[in-house]
Amino acid sequence: MKRENFYPVVLALLWGLNWPAVKIVLSEVPVFVLRSSALAIASVLLLSAALLLRRSLVVARGSWLPLALAGALNIAAFNIFTAFAQLNTTTSRAAILTYTMPVWSTLLAALVLREPIGRDKAIALMAGAAGVTLLAAPVFAAEEFLGVILSLLAALAWAIGIVIQKKWPIAGDPVATTGYQLLIGAVISVVCLLVTRPALPEFLSLPVFGAFLFHVAGATSAAYLLWFTILDRNSASTSALLSFAVPVVGVLSAMLLVGDRPSPADTAGFAAILLAAGLAMRSSRNRDKSAPETSRL
């Protein structure tokens, strides 16, 4: 089995576990302090890795605009909206609502990029949408509207960023371009930090410090590199659908780490989303059999 087939699994684990990790960090660290520091450190880590690996840091002149837009949407908007969403609803609900992203991304890709929606993608889309609906229903019942709106804004920003990257591919080494996008997200977060001027934490407890380290090294540096690699090798809709497994990991880890508890409807939602992820992965494998690989990590 190709190692690329494990990328979505590793990504689901890293991003899924990141939801409770961020919730833990936010108990002591303000949103813009977290996002500014984490994105800045992660960008330095990746750009330093690119130098050590002797990767080119050059980006084609025509790629800077889509790179900046992708950084603003995929990184800054997504990370800021999801952090505030977790402060206004439960971690599991924020994760599930944010992962309506594959629905919007698949639809946008069909409209803007003219990507076909085959049988597997159509079933995956319907199963994923059904799963998200089951898991999101209690949020609406509880009238946690701000958490709902922020999560959906994060999903929409991410979906638009995906389509932009597929419409105008970024020419450059993936390690370097991922580092640049994280740097753009850090700059935007720093501007927000300077405007809002929140109180800085005097110290971090051990659990918060550990969660922060995982967030920076695993869920930001490594996970975004994996994500942009998946996006480079697959269509926009397939890439988005492959991420449907992330909220399942997010909800299960939230149960273990921050005390969230699923209902029977949640369990049905998990099953539907796992079906969607499996079909998306099968669609990706079928595409790989009919087309040559385009890039290497």
Side-chain angles (χ1 to χ4, degrees), residues 41-251:
I41 295 170
S43 66
V44 170
L45 287 176
L46 279 181
L47 292 173
S48 298
L51 287 172
L52 290 173
L53 294 171
R54 299 185 183 278
R55 302 289 186 92
S56 174
L57 298 183
V58 177
V59 176
R61 182 179 299 179
S63 291
W64 278 108
L65 179 57
L67 188 147
L69 290 173
L73 293 166
N74 284 336
I75 307 298
F78 177 81
N79 279 277
I80 291 170
F81 286 145
T82 54
F84 280 111
Q86 286 205 69
L87 294 177
N88 288 277
T89 188
T90 64
T91 295
S92 56
R93 301 303 170 196
I96 292 301
L97 286 169
T98 299
Y99 278 85
T100 57
M101 177 277 294
V103 177
W104 311 123
S105 182
T106 299
L107 295 176
L108 285 172
L111 291 172
V112 177
L113 304 176
R114 298 292 188 264
E115 287 187 4
I117 301 178
R119 183 189 63 182
D120 284 350
K121 284 185 183 179
I123 298 174
L125 188 61
M126 290 186 289
V132 167
T133 300
L134 286 169
L135 291 162
V139 177
F140 290 97
E143 297 186 353
E144 297 174 358
F145 294 120
L146 185 56
V148 170
I149 291 170
L150 291 169
S151 298
L152 292 177
L153 284 174
L156 188 58
W158 193 4
I160 295 172
I162 289 172
V163 172
I164 286 174
Q165 283 191 252
K166 299 305 291 187
K167 182 72 173 178
W168 297 286
I170 298 170
D173 181 84
V175 180
T177 56
T178 301
Y180 287 136
Q181 289 193 55
L182 292 172
L183 182 59
I184 290 167
V187 170
I188 293 173
S189 298
V190 168
V191 170
C192 295
L193 176 66
L194 294 175
V195 171
T196 58
R197 296 184 180 182
L200 299 178
E202 295 182 359
F203 66 94
L204 299 180
S205 64
L206 187 59
V208 169
F209 184 70
F212 179 78
L213 288 180
F214 169 77
H215 171 65
V216 172
T220 303
S221 301
Y224 270 113
L225 182 56
L226 277 175
W227 166 249
F228 290 127
T229 301
I230 291 170
L231 184 60
D232 182 56
R233 298 179 182 185
N234 295 277
S235 67
S237 54
T238 298
S239 299
L241 290 168
L242 285 171
S243 69
F244 257 140
V246 175
V248 176
V249 178
V251 173

